Amino acid sequence: MSEHRRKPPQPEGGGRASARRAAQPRPGRGAAGRDVPTASHSGPYAPQPAQGSRAETRRAVQRGSGRGRGTGTAMRGTGRPDKRLINYPRSDRDGWKRFVPSWKFVAGTALGFFAVITAGTGIGIAMVSTPDPNKAARAQNNVFYWADGSQMVATGGSMNRQIVPISSIPRSMRDAVIAAENESFETDKGVDPMGVGRAVWNMATGGSTQGGSTITQQYVKNTYLDSDQTLKRKATELFIAIRLGVSEPKDKVLAGYLNTAYYGRDAYGIQAAARAYFGKDSQDLNPSECAFLAAVLKGPNLYNPDGGIGAAATPALNEKRARERWSWVLDREVEVGRMDKAARAKFTDADFPPRVESEQARGMTGQIGYLVDTAKAYVMKNKGITPEQMAMGGYRIKTTFQKPKVDALVKAVEDTRNGFIDEKGRPETDTFVQFGAASVDVKTGALVALYGGPGWDHKYFSNNANTSGVPVGSTWKPYVLAAAMEYGTQNSKGKGISADSKYMANDLTVINNREGRPLRDASGAPFKQKNESPTDFGYVTLNEAMEKSINVPFAQLVFDVGHDKVKAVAKSTGILEESINPNTDASFALGTSTPSAIRMADSYATFAASGTHREPFSVTEVEKNGEKLSGFEAPKDQRAMDSDVADNITKVLENVVENGTGKKVKKLGRPAAGKTGTTDENKSAWFVGYTPELSTSVVLFRTDPNSQDKKLISMKGVGNIPSLHGGDIPAEIWTEYMGEALKGLPVKQFPEAEDIGVTADSAGAPSPTPSAVVPASPSPSTLPPSSPPPSPSPSKGGRPTCPTWKLYCDPDTTRGTTNGGANTGTSSGTDSGTTSGTSSGVIGGSTGSPSPTQTGKPGRPGGITGGFDGSGSE
């Protein structure tokens, strides 16, 4: 080894470890603690690092630099000047401090942002123009056409839309609107940030106060009714509002707003509204009428007492909201100093201003108002159009309504009314009787006719064809039987059952839940289901139970099937979930749900179409400004249930017409199937039936249209009939209409129904037929009824012969709905009815698969089609 590579002498106990220790700097004793080198044991030269010690040297340097942190820019930034325009992240800081901006950076950013916003706002304000109230008030007609293309009616566009100066708008109207809409209007600059904050806070805390937009902003919005809700539009509105706020007199802005706002009744502008609601000029409005119009501005669809579009916009609900808002506006005027307390005290609830008859109503005679309302609702839902946009007009709407069929339905109602109803001779029983009806094309789902009431021209604005809150009674029973055929019962081991299955039918029979235990009434005693007749029927087939509309078998069957299965079947045929009674008691099977006449007609059309459901629709084409709008094709078919299940329901309902409670319909003279329905104390009566071509529902109920609660009144004695049922007046109307609507068409037969299912009698039934899949003795999981049944009477089979039929001997009824049925089944039947023994959960959170179809025909078991969310076609 060369001399110059020779290792220096190692100190005692040396080696590489000693060399490493020697290489480490040691604190000296100099001033201020500076490091001072120490002498080596080997002489005047510093020890040389051992082989491989360069890493140790680097670590030593790093340790030295660590001690130097915090001394300024001598470490990280030393020797590396930052030449970036924006020093961020900061090069002269370490760790998280690199991302803390300097005050210069913050100030510069804020100044730049403010400059950009200022310049952008200035450019935006310079580029926009102020609105023209004359252009905003130009509303066009909406034209509606019959299915054959002939014109039905042109609505809107006929109101007086004269622009009036501020001098023709009374001070009380100005005060009411400013108090209700924008308290700071006279001092703000067109935009009120505090108002937006107040609106957000009040919405979050549940308060009711002004909106976030100023009157100036709302005026600007009124000129853009046909524009899309885009960010560009919002920015444009903001710029225009700011420009108006700084350049236009407040009186001009307020007059522009009141002259372009929509008040309902097809009225745009204060002058049109004054004429539409009160038959006077705007300058003659009194403070109460002004408060009313200010209240309507909140949203005419929900505050116009005539009613609006949607289930929440009924005349009764709108009247209630309008009265509350009217009172609030008057109170608000006092609160903000625009009316003194003495003047406010003159207006009590009894002084709610009366309105004149609507010009719109006078133009909508007969059924036209209901047809137009139905079509408008469908268009608005399909395209997301607001009532205000629809009122601006310009739409050409072709409906599905066929004038000959509408006329035939009106004639059938009026003929029957004239033959049965005598309001003058029997005022205590025959007043306030309401009629509603709807007819649907089986092949397409198109609404071809409806009867909504006496007419808008008779000041009756509720559409009885689309009414809610009227129970359907025994017309619900086919859904219970269809669910049993589709899914089976707990007695059939998951197999669908046939209409030959026998159930106890005696009056006041105890109903058991799915666990085999008796339901309990309010007193805790076993609940006994009531029939209309005290006849001891014994055990009868489900076919005979449907024929005579006996309550007891279906009250038990719904627990054997499961309420969730019945709901699923009903929904699959088009019944809206919100109209289905959510309770899981015995009366659920007897028709406590409240679908509309439109939905019932459409739902039964599913049976007529062998299980294929088609959503009801009322519009086929819409044009706006000469262009056709998309989205108005006929709804697609959906498989609701196995075709053989639907055809067997049809066969059972044909028997109702041939031999049962719907016997009056036989006069039609062609194949027909249907079901009568009557509710407790005759508060409603239905007939829903169909032929292979048309499905039609007719409902009668009694209510005072001028009452606040619109309670249903008993129809006992109506038409001089002691106890009115669905097989009476409703069946008469149905038969007359269908005869005229189908006149000249060839007679068609229903599809032949193949035998399906197994005979699965209820617990306790004697000697089951050989095809039964369960033994005669009750299974361990099913207990017999609490009270022993009497000896069974002879029962009809699945295809009974026609007995001597008497209208009031075995009538249709659901009287058990209040005789313990409505509430008593809930506590003992609810949980077990939805969680135990169900093999194929369809709704309610179950996870099982639907039961297989019983035939090889096309069909989807389970009955779920989806999409029933209130289509708006009603």
Side-chain angles (χ1 to χ4, degrees):
M1 182 179 294
S2 302
E3 185 65 23
H4 68 276
R5 297 289 301 273
R6 185 179 298 148
K7 294 182 180 178
Q10 301 293 327
E12 185 178 355
R16 293 185 178 180
S18 178
R20 283 196 298 270
R21 285 194 296 271
Q24 293 176 355
R26 298 181 182 179
R29 298 180 180 178
R34 289 189 297 271
D35 293 337
V36 179
T38 58
S40 169
H41 293 289
S42 60
Y45 299 104
Q48 297 297 319
Q51 186 176 359
S53 63
R54 292 180 180 177
E56 294 295 337
T57 304
R58 285 196 299 272
R59 284 194 289 271
V61 173
Q62 291 172 356
R63 284 193 292 272
S65 66
R67 286 193 297 272
R69 290 178 181 174
T71 61
T73 60
M75 297 301 135
R76 177 179 290 274
T78 301
R80 290 189 297 151
D82 197 319
K83 296 182 179 180
R84 294 178 296 172
L85 179 63
I86 300 176
N87 183 21
Y88 190 84
R90 300 175 66 180
S91 62
D92 58 343
R93 292 289 186 269
D94 289 310
W96 61 269
K97 294 182 180 179
R98 298 181 63 209
F99 299 97
V100 177
S102 66
W103 69 269
K104 293 180 180 180
F105 179 78
V106 173
T109 301
L111 184 61
F113 181 76
F114 180 76
V116 170
I117 292 297
T118 302
T121 302
I123 294 172
I125 293 174
M127 291 179 64
V128 297
S129 59
T130 57
D132 183 350
N134 290 287
K135 291 181 180 179
R138 291 176 187 167
Q140 305 176 57
N141 282 325
N142 287 320
V143 183
F144 293 81
Y145 300 90
W146 295 102
D148 63 4
S150 60
Q151 183 171 318
M152 178 192 299
V153 68
T155 69
S158 60
M159 285 292 181
N160 176 10
R161 287 176 169 80
Q162 176 185 353
I163 302 299
V164 296
I166 194 68
S167 59
S168 295
I169 302 174
R171 169 57 64 181
S172 57
M173 184 66 198
R174 289 177 261 172
D175 288 338
V177 171
I178 291 174
E181 301 287 339
N182 183 191
E183 176 189 350
S184 64
F185 169 72
E186 293 177 335
T187 58
D188 64 41
K189 300 301 182 183
V191 178
D192 181 15
M194 294 299 294
V196 176
R198 266 197 317 272
V200 172
W201 171 258
N202 279 279
M203 283 190 294
T205 57
S208 174
T209 184
Q210 302 160 258
S213 297
T214 64
I215 285 176
T216 307
Q217 287 175 277
Q218 293 180 63
Y219 170 37
V220 174
K221 290 177 184 178
N222 290 344
T223 66
Y224 287 89
L225 284 175
D226 291 327
S227 301
D228 295 330
Q229 296 287 343
T230 62
L231 184 61
K232 178 182 178 181
R233 175 197 151 169
K234 292 294 183 182
T236 303
E237 287 178 359
L238 182 64
F239 291 144
I240 296 175
I242 295 173
R243 178 169 181 169
L244 290 177
V246 298
S247 64
E248 299 289 347
K250 289 293 183 180
D251 279 354
K252 183 176 180 180
V253 174
L254 182 59
Y257 171 60
L258 295 176
N259 277 314
T260 57
Y262 180 59
Y263 297 80
R265 287 195 172 185
D266 276 354
Y268 276 89
I270 182 65
Q271 173 67 11
R275 300 298 307 176
Y277 285 101
F278 305 113
K280 59 175 68 173
D281 292 329
S282 60
Q283 61 191 13
D284 299 324
L285 294 169
N286 64 44
S288 176
E289 293 164 342
C290 291
F292 170 83
L293 292 178
V296 170
L297 284 175
K298 175 79 172 176
N301 192 59
L302 295 177
Y303 289 87
N304 176 5
D306 299 341
I309 302 297
T314 63
L317 292 175
N318 280 19
E319 174 93 12
K320 182 176 182 292
R321 278 189 288 263
R323 286 178 175 272
E324 292 174 350
R325 181 75 176 176
W326 168 79
S327 180
W328 179 86
V329 171
L330 292 171
D331 290 340
R332 180 70 177 164
E333 289 186 70
V334 175
E335 182 181 342
V336 301
R338 292 183 175 274
M339 177 184 286
D340 58 48
K341 292 183 178 179
R344 169 66 180 91
K346 295 178 182 179
F347 304 109
T348 64
D349 291 343
D351 297 311
F352 187 68
R355 282 87 58 203
V356 299
E357 183 181 349
S358 169
E359 282 189 39
Q360 181 183 20
R362 286 197 293 271
M364 298 281 200
T365 58
Q367 298 304 301
I368 299 299
Y370 309 120
L371 302 177
V372 166
D373 231 22
T374 302
K376 281 170 59 176
Y378 189 81
V379 172
M380 290 164 61
K381 180 173 180 62
N382 265 27
K383 300 303 293 184
I385 298 170
T386 67
E388 290 81 3
Q389 290 171 326
M390 179 62 71
M392 283 296 290
Y395 294 93
R396 302 292 180 264
I397 300 170
K398 185 178 181 181
T399 73
T400 59
F401 298 115
Q402 299 178 20
K403 191 176 187 303
K405 289 184 172 60
V406 172
D407 292 342
L409 187 53
V410 171
K411 184 177 184 301
V413 171
E414 291 179 349
D415 287 350
T416 307
R417 176 193 284 275
N418 295 336
F420 280 88
I421 307 300
D422 185 0
E423 295 184 7
K424 293 182 179 179
R426 295 185 295 268
E428 292 185 359
T429 59
D430 287 16
T431 54
F432 307 136
V433 178
Q434 308 296 336
F435 295 76
S439 189
V440 171
D441 187 306
V442 167
K443 292 183 178 179
T444 64
L447 272 167
V448 297
L450 59 79
Y451 183 90
W456 287 12
D457 50 327
H458 290 274
K459 299 183 179 180
Y460 192 87
F461 298 100
S462 295
N463 185 355
N464 291 342
N466 193 29
T467 190
S468 59
V470 181
V472 295
S474 291
T475 60
W476 193 259
K477 290 175 182 174
Y479 304 124
V480 183
L481 181 57
M485 289 179 171
E486 187 83 27
Y487 298 107
T489 67
Q490 57 187 7
N491 301 324
S492 69
K493 297 182 179 179
K495 295 183 179 181
I497 69 171
S498 77
D500 290 327
S501 302
K502 294 181 180 178
Y503 271 70
M504 168 54 66
N506 285 344
D507 189 33
L508 297 176
T509 295
V510 172
I511 304 301
N512 295 327
N513 63 18
R514 288 185 67 84
E515 296 173 348
R517 294 194 295 267
L519 302 180
R520 299 289 172 177
D521 61 21
S523 67
F527 164 64
K528 298 178 180 180
Q529 179 61 54
K530 183 85 174 122
N531 289 331
E532 173 73 11
S533 168
T535 303
D536 288 338
F537 294 104
Y539 283 90
V540 302
T541 65
L542 293 173
N543 186 73
E544 185 177 354
M546 188 76 76
E547 171 196 318
K548 293 182 170 66
S549 200
I550 309 172
N551 291 336
V552 168
F554 292 98
Q556 183 59 61
L557 181 62
V558 74
F559 284 97
D560 292 349
V561 175
H563 291 73
D564 56 345
K565 305 296 192 305
V566 178
K567 291 177 182 178
V569 167
K571 287 172 59 180
S572 74
T573 64
I575 301 298
L576 301 178
E577 185 169 9
E578 56 265 30
S579 68
I580 299 177
N581 190 333
N583 294 330
T584 53
D585 50 26
S587 62
F588 173 83
L590 310 179
T592 51
S593 296
T594 58
S596 67
I598 291 175
R599 283 286 163 178
M600 288 301 291
D602 176 69
S603 175
Y604 270 46
T606 304
F607 298 133
S610 297
T612 297
H613 173 247
R614 299 171 176 90
E615 273 287 280
F617 66 103
S618 55
V619 174
T620 57
E621 291 181 11
V622 178
E623 287 188 7
K624 180 70 184 294
N625 298 325
E627 295 183 3
K628 284 190 177 182
L629 303 185
S630 62
F632 294 99
E633 302 79 14
K636 294 181 179 179
D637 298 350
Q638 296 173 308
R639 172 58 59 180
M641 65 185 69
D642 185 90
S643 57
D644 274 342
V645 169
D647 292 342
N648 271 269
I649 292 295
T650 294
K651 188 170 187 176
V652 171
L653 297 184
E654 280 187 282
N655 183 58
V656 172
V657 171
E658 286 295 319
N659 306 308
T661 57
K663 198 171 182 180
K664 285 187 177 181
V665 173
K666 287 180 67 176
K667 292 186 297 184
L668 181 63
R670 61 171 67 217
K675 184 69 187 77
T676 56
T678 311
T679 54
D680 185 46
E681 297 184 3
N682 294 154
K683 289 184 177 178
S684 64
W686 291 75
F687 186 81
V688 186
Y690 52 90
T691 65
E693 301 87 2
L694 288 178
S695 177
T696 302
S697 63
V698 180
V699 58
L700 258 69
F701 58 97
R702 192 175 174 218
T703 186
D704 182 356
N706 299 315
S707 64
Q708 291 293 325
D709 53 14
K710 302 295 190 295
K711 278 189 176 181
L712 296 178
I713 307 170
S714 175
M715 291 191 294
K716 288 183 177 180
V718 168
N720 207 25
I721 299 173
S723 182
L724 190 148
H725 297 85
D728 300 319
I729 297 177
E732 290 278 357
I733 294 172
W734 188 96
T735 305
E736 181 178 340
Y737 161 71
M738 292 290 279
E740 184 65 26
L742 298 172
K743 182 182 293 185
L745 296 180
V747 175
K748 290 187 177 180
Q749 302 293 328
F750 289 113
E752 185 68 25
E754 297 183 4
D755 292 338
I756 62 170
V758 296
T759 301
D761 300 338
S762 66
S767 58
T769 61
S771 63
V773 296
V774 291
S777 58
S779 63
S781 62
T782 306
L783 300 179
S786 300
S787 56
S791 57
S793 60
S795 171
K796 297 182 180 181
R799 302 164 189 79
T801 58
C802 179
T804 302
W805 188 79
K806 297 180 181 179
L807 180 61
Y808 299 109
C809 178
D810 297 318
D812 147 71
T813 182
T814 59
R815 214 169 70 185
T817 56
T818 56
N819 293 326
N823 300 313
T824 57
T826 303
S827 61
S828 61
T830 300
D831 295 335
S832 61
T834 57
T835 61
S836 64
T838 54
S839 62
S840 57
V842 181
I843 59 174
S846 301
T847 58
S849 301
S851 58
T853 58
Q854 302 300 319
T855 73
K857 287 192 175 184
R860 186 181 64 182
I864 289 296
T865 58
F868 307 112
D869 58 350
S871 68
S873 62
E874 301 174 26

